Short mmCIF file of all heavy atoms in Angstrom, two decimals:
data_model
loop_
_atom_site.label_atom_id
_atom_site.label_comp_id
_atom_site.label_asym_id
_atom_site.label_seq_id
_atom_site.Cartn_x
_atom_site.Cartn_y
_atom_site.Cartn_z
N PHE A 1 3.40 -2.79 -22.48
CA PHE A 1 2.81 -3.65 -21.44
C PHE A 1 3.34 -3.28 -20.06
O PHE A 1 2.59 -3.26 -19.08
CB PHE A 1 3.09 -5.12 -21.75
CG PHE A 1 2.11 -5.72 -22.71
CD1 PHE A 1 2.37 -5.73 -24.06
CD2 PHE A 1 0.91 -6.23 -22.27
CE1 PHE A 1 1.46 -6.28 -24.96
CE2 PHE A 1 -0.01 -6.78 -23.15
CZ PHE A 1 0.26 -6.81 -24.50
N PHE A 2 4.63 -2.99 -19.98
CA PHE A 2 5.18 -2.62 -18.68
C PHE A 2 4.65 -1.27 -18.23
O PHE A 2 4.40 -1.05 -17.03
CB PHE A 2 6.72 -2.59 -18.75
CG PHE A 2 7.36 -2.23 -17.44
CD1 PHE A 2 7.30 -3.08 -16.35
CD2 PHE A 2 8.03 -1.03 -17.29
CE1 PHE A 2 7.88 -2.75 -15.14
CE2 PHE A 2 8.62 -0.68 -16.09
CZ PHE A 2 8.54 -1.56 -15.01
N LEU A 3 4.46 -0.34 -19.18
CA LEU A 3 3.92 0.98 -18.83
C LEU A 3 2.52 0.84 -18.21
O LEU A 3 2.22 1.46 -17.18
CB LEU A 3 3.86 1.85 -20.09
CG LEU A 3 3.42 3.30 -19.93
CD1 LEU A 3 4.12 4.18 -20.97
CD2 LEU A 3 1.91 3.47 -20.10
N LEU A 4 1.68 0.01 -18.83
CA LEU A 4 0.33 -0.19 -18.32
C LEU A 4 0.35 -0.92 -16.98
O LEU A 4 -0.35 -0.52 -16.03
CB LEU A 4 -0.50 -0.97 -19.34
CG LEU A 4 -1.94 -1.30 -18.96
CD1 LEU A 4 -2.72 -0.02 -18.66
CD2 LEU A 4 -2.63 -2.09 -20.07
N ALA A 5 1.15 -1.97 -16.88
CA ALA A 5 1.22 -2.72 -15.63
C ALA A 5 1.75 -1.85 -14.50
O ALA A 5 1.23 -1.89 -13.37
CB ALA A 5 2.10 -3.95 -15.81
N HIS A 6 2.79 -1.06 -14.79
CA HIS A 6 3.37 -0.20 -13.77
C HIS A 6 2.37 0.84 -13.28
O HIS A 6 2.28 1.12 -12.07
CB HIS A 6 4.62 0.50 -14.32
CG HIS A 6 5.21 1.49 -13.37
ND1 HIS A 6 4.93 2.84 -13.42
CD2 HIS A 6 6.07 1.32 -12.32
CE1 HIS A 6 5.57 3.46 -12.45
NE2 HIS A 6 6.28 2.57 -11.77
N ALA A 7 1.61 1.43 -14.18
CA ALA A 7 0.62 2.42 -13.77
C ALA A 7 -0.39 1.81 -12.81
O ALA A 7 -0.77 2.43 -11.80
CB ALA A 7 -0.09 2.98 -15.01
N LEU A 8 -0.83 0.58 -13.08
CA LEU A 8 -1.85 -0.06 -12.25
C LEU A 8 -1.31 -0.43 -10.87
O LEU A 8 -1.91 -0.10 -9.84
CB LEU A 8 -2.41 -1.29 -12.96
CG LEU A 8 -3.21 -1.01 -14.24
CD1 LEU A 8 -3.58 -2.30 -14.95
CD2 LEU A 8 -4.47 -0.22 -13.92
N TYR A 9 -0.17 -1.13 -10.84
CA TYR A 9 0.29 -1.58 -9.51
C TYR A 9 0.92 -0.45 -8.71
O TYR A 9 0.79 -0.39 -7.49
CB TYR A 9 1.21 -2.80 -9.62
CG TYR A 9 2.60 -2.59 -10.16
CD1 TYR A 9 3.57 -1.86 -9.48
CD2 TYR A 9 2.99 -3.22 -11.35
CE1 TYR A 9 4.85 -1.71 -9.97
CE2 TYR A 9 4.27 -3.08 -11.85
CZ TYR A 9 5.20 -2.33 -11.16
OH TYR A 9 6.48 -2.19 -11.64
N LYS A 10 1.59 0.51 -9.38
CA LYS A 10 2.21 1.58 -8.61
C LYS A 10 1.15 2.57 -8.12
O LYS A 10 1.25 3.09 -6.99
CB LYS A 10 3.25 2.30 -9.47
CG LYS A 10 4.14 3.27 -8.69
CD LYS A 10 4.88 2.59 -7.54
CE LYS A 10 5.89 1.56 -8.02
NZ LYS A 10 7.05 2.10 -8.68
N GLY A 11 0.13 2.82 -8.92
CA GLY A 11 -0.97 3.65 -8.44
C GLY A 11 -1.65 3.02 -7.24
O GLY A 11 -1.99 3.71 -6.26
N THR A 12 -1.84 1.72 -7.28
CA THR A 12 -2.44 1.00 -6.15
C THR A 12 -1.59 1.16 -4.89
O THR A 12 -2.11 1.49 -3.81
CB THR A 12 -2.59 -0.49 -6.48
OG1 THR A 12 -3.40 -0.63 -7.63
CG2 THR A 12 -3.22 -1.23 -5.32
N LEU A 13 -0.31 0.93 -5.01
CA LEU A 13 0.56 0.95 -3.83
C LEU A 13 0.67 2.37 -3.25
O LEU A 13 0.76 2.53 -2.03
CB LEU A 13 1.94 0.40 -4.19
CG LEU A 13 1.97 -1.10 -4.54
CD1 LEU A 13 3.35 -1.52 -4.99
CD2 LEU A 13 1.50 -1.93 -3.35
N PHE A 14 0.69 3.38 -4.11
CA PHE A 14 0.70 4.76 -3.59
C PHE A 14 -0.57 5.05 -2.80
O PHE A 14 -0.53 5.65 -1.72
CB PHE A 14 0.84 5.76 -4.74
CG PHE A 14 2.26 6.19 -5.00
CD1 PHE A 14 2.87 5.92 -6.21
CD2 PHE A 14 2.97 6.88 -4.04
CE1 PHE A 14 4.17 6.33 -6.46
CE2 PHE A 14 4.27 7.30 -4.28
CZ PHE A 14 4.87 7.01 -5.48
N LEU A 15 -1.71 4.64 -3.35
CA LEU A 15 -2.97 4.88 -2.65
C LEU A 15 -3.05 4.10 -1.35
O LEU A 15 -3.56 4.60 -0.34
CB LEU A 15 -4.14 4.52 -3.56
CG LEU A 15 -4.31 5.39 -4.82
CD1 LEU A 15 -5.48 4.89 -5.65
CD2 LEU A 15 -4.49 6.85 -4.46
N VAL A 16 -2.53 2.88 -1.35
CA VAL A 16 -2.51 2.09 -0.12
C VAL A 16 -1.59 2.74 0.91
O VAL A 16 -1.93 2.81 2.11
CB VAL A 16 -2.05 0.64 -0.42
CG1 VAL A 16 -1.74 -0.10 0.89
CG2 VAL A 16 -3.12 -0.10 -1.20
N ALA A 17 -0.44 3.24 0.47
CA ALA A 17 0.46 3.93 1.40
C ALA A 17 -0.23 5.14 2.01
O ALA A 17 -0.08 5.42 3.21
CB ALA A 17 1.73 4.36 0.67
N GLY A 18 -1.03 5.85 1.21
CA GLY A 18 -1.77 6.98 1.74
C GLY A 18 -2.83 6.54 2.74
O GLY A 18 -3.04 7.20 3.77
N SER A 19 -3.51 5.43 2.46
CA SER A 19 -4.51 4.93 3.40
C SER A 19 -3.88 4.53 4.72
O SER A 19 -4.43 4.80 5.80
CB SER A 19 -5.23 3.72 2.78
OG SER A 19 -5.89 4.08 1.59
N VAL A 20 -2.72 3.88 4.64
CA VAL A 20 -2.01 3.48 5.86
C VAL A 20 -1.60 4.71 6.67
O VAL A 20 -1.79 4.77 7.89
CB VAL A 20 -0.78 2.61 5.50
CG1 VAL A 20 0.11 2.41 6.72
CG2 VAL A 20 -1.22 1.28 4.93
N ASP A 21 -1.03 5.70 5.98
CA ASP A 21 -0.62 6.93 6.66
C ASP A 21 -1.82 7.64 7.27
O ASP A 21 -1.77 8.14 8.41
CB ASP A 21 0.09 7.83 5.65
CG ASP A 21 0.67 9.08 6.29
OD1 ASP A 21 0.88 9.07 7.52
OD2 ASP A 21 0.90 10.06 5.56
N HIS A 22 -2.91 7.69 6.53
CA HIS A 22 -4.12 8.38 7.00
C HIS A 22 -4.72 7.67 8.22
O HIS A 22 -5.23 8.33 9.14
CB HIS A 22 -5.15 8.42 5.87
CG HIS A 22 -6.21 9.45 6.05
ND1 HIS A 22 -7.35 9.21 6.78
CD2 HIS A 22 -6.32 10.72 5.60
CE1 HIS A 22 -8.12 10.28 6.76
NE2 HIS A 22 -7.52 11.23 6.05
N SER A 23 -4.64 6.34 8.24
CA SER A 23 -5.28 5.57 9.32
C SER A 23 -4.38 5.38 10.53
O SER A 23 -4.89 5.25 11.65
CB SER A 23 -5.71 4.20 8.79
OG SER A 23 -6.63 4.33 7.71
N THR A 24 -3.07 5.35 10.33
CA THR A 24 -2.15 5.09 11.44
C THR A 24 -1.35 6.32 11.86
O THR A 24 -0.82 6.36 12.96
CB THR A 24 -1.16 3.97 11.06
OG1 THR A 24 -0.33 4.42 9.97
CG2 THR A 24 -1.90 2.71 10.65
N GLY A 25 -1.23 7.31 10.96
CA GLY A 25 -0.45 8.50 11.28
C GLY A 25 1.03 8.37 11.01
O GLY A 25 1.82 9.24 11.38
N THR A 26 1.45 7.30 10.31
CA THR A 26 2.87 7.13 10.01
C THR A 26 3.04 6.37 8.70
O THR A 26 2.15 5.59 8.30
CB THR A 26 3.59 6.37 11.14
OG1 THR A 26 4.99 6.26 10.81
CG2 THR A 26 3.02 4.97 11.32
N ARG A 27 4.17 6.61 8.03
CA ARG A 27 4.55 5.86 6.83
C ARG A 27 5.86 5.12 7.04
O ARG A 27 6.40 4.53 6.10
CB ARG A 27 4.70 6.80 5.63
CG ARG A 27 3.45 7.49 5.19
CD ARG A 27 3.60 8.07 3.79
NE ARG A 27 4.79 8.87 3.64
CZ ARG A 27 4.81 10.20 3.69
NH1 ARG A 27 3.68 10.86 3.92
NH2 ARG A 27 5.92 10.88 3.53
N GLU A 28 6.38 5.16 8.25
CA GLU A 28 7.65 4.49 8.54
C GLU A 28 7.48 2.98 8.54
O GLU A 28 6.63 2.43 9.25
CB GLU A 28 8.20 4.95 9.88
CG GLU A 28 8.97 6.25 9.81
CD GLU A 28 10.19 6.16 8.91
OE1 GLU A 28 10.94 5.17 9.01
OE2 GLU A 28 10.39 7.07 8.09
N LEU A 29 8.29 2.31 7.75
CA LEU A 29 8.15 0.88 7.52
C LEU A 29 8.21 0.07 8.81
O LEU A 29 7.40 -0.84 9.03
CB LEU A 29 9.25 0.43 6.55
CG LEU A 29 9.15 -1.00 6.02
CD1 LEU A 29 7.92 -1.16 5.15
CD2 LEU A 29 10.41 -1.34 5.22
N PHE A 30 9.15 0.39 9.68
CA PHE A 30 9.36 -0.43 10.87
C PHE A 30 8.39 -0.10 12.00
O PHE A 30 8.44 -0.71 13.05
CB PHE A 30 10.80 -0.28 11.34
CG PHE A 30 11.80 -0.83 10.36
CD1 PHE A 30 12.63 0.01 9.66
CD2 PHE A 30 11.85 -2.19 10.11
CE1 PHE A 30 13.52 -0.49 8.74
CE2 PHE A 30 12.75 -2.70 9.19
CZ PHE A 30 13.59 -1.86 8.50
N LYS A 31 7.51 0.88 11.78
CA LYS A 31 6.45 1.15 12.75
C LYS A 31 5.13 0.53 12.32
O LYS A 31 4.12 0.68 13.01
CB LYS A 31 6.27 2.67 12.91
CG LYS A 31 7.47 3.38 13.51
CD LYS A 31 7.20 4.87 13.64
CE LYS A 31 8.41 5.60 14.24
NZ LYS A 31 8.16 7.07 14.36
N LEU A 32 5.12 -0.16 11.19
CA LEU A 32 3.90 -0.72 10.63
C LEU A 32 3.98 -2.24 10.61
O LEU A 32 4.93 -2.81 10.05
CB LEU A 32 3.68 -0.20 9.21
CG LEU A 32 3.54 1.32 9.06
CD1 LEU A 32 3.61 1.71 7.60
CD2 LEU A 32 2.25 1.80 9.69
N GLN A 33 3.03 -2.89 11.20
CA GLN A 33 2.99 -4.35 11.18
C GLN A 33 1.59 -4.84 11.56
O GLN A 33 0.84 -4.16 12.26
CB GLN A 33 4.02 -4.94 12.13
CG GLN A 33 3.97 -4.42 13.55
CD GLN A 33 5.14 -4.89 14.38
OE1 GLN A 33 5.87 -5.78 13.98
NE2 GLN A 33 5.32 -4.31 15.56
N ARG A 34 1.24 -5.99 11.00
CA ARG A 34 -0.01 -6.68 11.31
C ARG A 34 -1.23 -5.80 11.05
O ARG A 34 -2.19 -5.79 11.83
CB ARG A 34 -0.01 -7.17 12.76
CG ARG A 34 1.08 -8.20 13.05
CD ARG A 34 1.11 -8.58 14.52
NE ARG A 34 -0.17 -9.16 14.94
CZ ARG A 34 -0.48 -9.44 16.21
NH1 ARG A 34 0.40 -9.17 17.16
NH2 ARG A 34 -1.65 -9.96 16.52
N LEU A 35 -1.21 -5.08 9.92
CA LEU A 35 -2.35 -4.24 9.57
C LEU A 35 -3.39 -4.98 8.74
O LEU A 35 -4.43 -4.43 8.39
CB LEU A 35 -1.88 -3.00 8.79
CG LEU A 35 -1.07 -1.96 9.58
CD1 LEU A 35 -0.60 -0.86 8.65
CD2 LEU A 35 -1.90 -1.39 10.71
N GLY A 36 -3.12 -6.24 8.39
CA GLY A 36 -4.04 -7.00 7.57
C GLY A 36 -5.37 -7.25 8.22
O GLY A 36 -6.39 -7.38 7.52
N GLY A 37 -5.40 -7.29 9.55
CA GLY A 37 -6.67 -7.51 10.24
C GLY A 37 -7.59 -6.32 10.18
O GLY A 37 -8.69 -6.38 9.62
N PRO A 38 -7.16 -5.18 10.71
CA PRO A 38 -8.06 -4.01 10.70
C PRO A 38 -8.19 -3.35 9.32
O PRO A 38 -9.11 -2.57 9.11
CB PRO A 38 -7.39 -3.06 11.70
CG PRO A 38 -5.95 -3.45 11.70
CD PRO A 38 -5.92 -4.92 11.47
N MET A 39 -7.27 -3.62 8.39
CA MET A 39 -7.32 -2.99 7.07
C MET A 39 -7.30 -4.08 5.99
O MET A 39 -6.40 -4.14 5.15
CB MET A 39 -6.15 -2.02 6.88
CG MET A 39 -6.10 -0.88 7.89
SD MET A 39 -4.72 0.26 7.60
CE MET A 39 -5.17 0.99 6.04
N LYS A 40 -8.31 -4.92 6.02
CA LYS A 40 -8.33 -6.09 5.13
C LYS A 40 -8.36 -5.69 3.66
O LYS A 40 -7.63 -6.25 2.83
CB LYS A 40 -9.54 -6.97 5.44
CG LYS A 40 -9.48 -7.70 6.77
CD LYS A 40 -10.67 -8.61 6.93
CE LYS A 40 -10.56 -9.41 8.23
NZ LYS A 40 -10.60 -8.55 9.42
N LEU A 41 -9.22 -4.72 3.29
CA LEU A 41 -9.32 -4.34 1.89
C LEU A 41 -8.03 -3.69 1.38
O LEU A 41 -7.59 -3.97 0.26
CB LEU A 41 -10.51 -3.37 1.70
CG LEU A 41 -11.89 -3.98 1.92
CD1 LEU A 41 -12.97 -2.92 1.74
CD2 LEU A 41 -12.12 -5.14 0.95
N ALA A 42 -7.43 -2.84 2.20
CA ALA A 42 -6.15 -2.24 1.81
C ALA A 42 -5.08 -3.31 1.69
O ALA A 42 -4.25 -3.28 0.77
CB ALA A 42 -5.74 -1.18 2.82
N GLY A 43 -5.07 -4.29 2.63
CA GLY A 43 -4.09 -5.38 2.56
C GLY A 43 -4.29 -6.23 1.32
O GLY A 43 -3.31 -6.65 0.68
N LEU A 44 -5.55 -6.48 0.95
CA LEU A 44 -5.83 -7.25 -0.26
C LEU A 44 -5.35 -6.50 -1.50
O LEU A 44 -4.71 -7.10 -2.39
CB LEU A 44 -7.33 -7.53 -0.36
CG LEU A 44 -7.81 -8.24 -1.62
CD1 LEU A 44 -7.15 -9.61 -1.75
CD2 LEU A 44 -9.33 -8.36 -1.63
N ALA A 45 -5.65 -5.20 -1.57
CA ALA A 45 -5.21 -4.41 -2.72
C ALA A 45 -3.69 -4.37 -2.81
O ALA A 45 -3.11 -4.53 -3.89
CB ALA A 45 -5.76 -2.99 -2.62
N ALA A 46 -3.01 -4.18 -1.66
CA ALA A 46 -1.55 -4.14 -1.66
C ALA A 46 -0.96 -5.47 -2.09
O ALA A 46 0.04 -5.52 -2.82
CB ALA A 46 -1.06 -3.76 -0.27
N THR A 47 -1.57 -6.56 -1.65
CA THR A 47 -1.05 -7.89 -2.01
C THR A 47 -1.20 -8.15 -3.50
O THR A 47 -0.26 -8.64 -4.15
CB THR A 47 -1.79 -8.97 -1.20
OG1 THR A 47 -1.63 -8.71 0.19
CG2 THR A 47 -1.25 -10.35 -1.53
N LEU A 48 -2.36 -7.84 -4.06
CA LEU A 48 -2.56 -8.04 -5.50
C LEU A 48 -1.59 -7.18 -6.31
O LEU A 48 -0.99 -7.64 -7.30
CB LEU A 48 -4.00 -7.70 -5.87
CG LEU A 48 -5.09 -8.63 -5.30
CD1 LEU A 48 -6.47 -8.09 -5.64
CD2 LEU A 48 -4.92 -10.04 -5.82
#
């Protein structure tokens, strides 16, 4: 169960990290904030 759950949520978060990097040009945590407005679908996926 953990193997299946980990594949789903970790795959999601990796893809979201790529979308953030692709759209903003950075993956640095402290340079990223308030992206929920312009990236609603990515924010929803990351939250789930």
Side-chain angles (χ1 to χ4, degrees):
F1 276 93
F2 181 67
L3 184 149
L4 179 58
H6 175 264
L8 293 173
Y9 72 67
K10 191 57 66 70
T12 301
L13 293 176
F14 265 118
L15 294 178
V16 168
S19 299
V20 169
D21 185 21
H22 199 275
S23 300
T24 65
T26 182
R27 296 196 309 261
E28 277 298 315
L29 189 65
F30 294 110
K31 295 180 181 179
L32 300 169
Q33 52 188 348
R34 297 176 60 188
L35 291 176
M39 300 181 66
K40 290 184 177 64
L41 292 179
L44 176 60
T47 302
L48 294 175

